[in-house]
Amino acid sequence: MQANDKTILTYFRKRISCSCLDEKRKQYEGVKRTGICYNDECPLPGRFAELSSLLYCTGCNKVTHYCSAECEKVNWKYHKRQCADIA
């Protein structure tokens, strides 16, 4: 089970009042939400990291995120132009 599936399930549970989603919800308890590191060269498998541990670029107000300061530093030469356009 993936964390993205958990997000979709949560979305529908808020909008559909049906007990049929309760069993599926129990399957996803404990599954952590994940995000993707913006650095294409990130060493993590699939560039996935726990969402709560991701670092956000302060220049473009949380549009891009990284799994570590090292990934942010490596990607800065590519991201700085985009960051200026977004900010």
Side-chain angles (χ1 to χ4, degrees):
M1 289 181 213
Q2 296 181 355
N4 294 337
D5 294 338
K6 181 179 180 181
T7 302
I8 293 168
L9 178 65
T10 301
Y11 173 85
F12 283 116
R13 282 194 76 239
K14 289 179 180 178
R15 286 152 182 83
I16 301 170
S17 59
C18 175
S19 62
C20 60
L21 296 173
D22 292 341
E23 184 177 324
K24 199 68 166 168
R25 180 179 173 262
K26 289 178 185 177
Q27 293 175 356
Y28 283 97
E29 286 180 4
V31 173
K32 305 243 185 228
R33 294 183 63 201
T34 59
I36 297 176
C37 179
Y38 197 74
N39 178 19
D40 290 334
E41 299 172 12
C42 177
L44 293 177
R47 299 181 0 221
F48 286 109
E50 188 176 329
L51 194 60
S52 63
S53 68
L54 289 174
L55 306 172
Y56 294 93
C57 175
T58 55
C60 57
N61 298 319
K62 299 186 177 184
V63 173
T64 58
H65 39 272
Y66 300 94
C67 66
S68 66
E70 293 81 24
C71 273
E72 184 175 12
K73 187 174 181 179
V74 167
N75 195 58
W76 177 244
K77 60 185 171 186
Y78 305 108
H79 175 64
K80 65 181 168 184
R81 282 192 208 126
Q82 295 172 341
C83 187
D85 291 341
I86 294 169

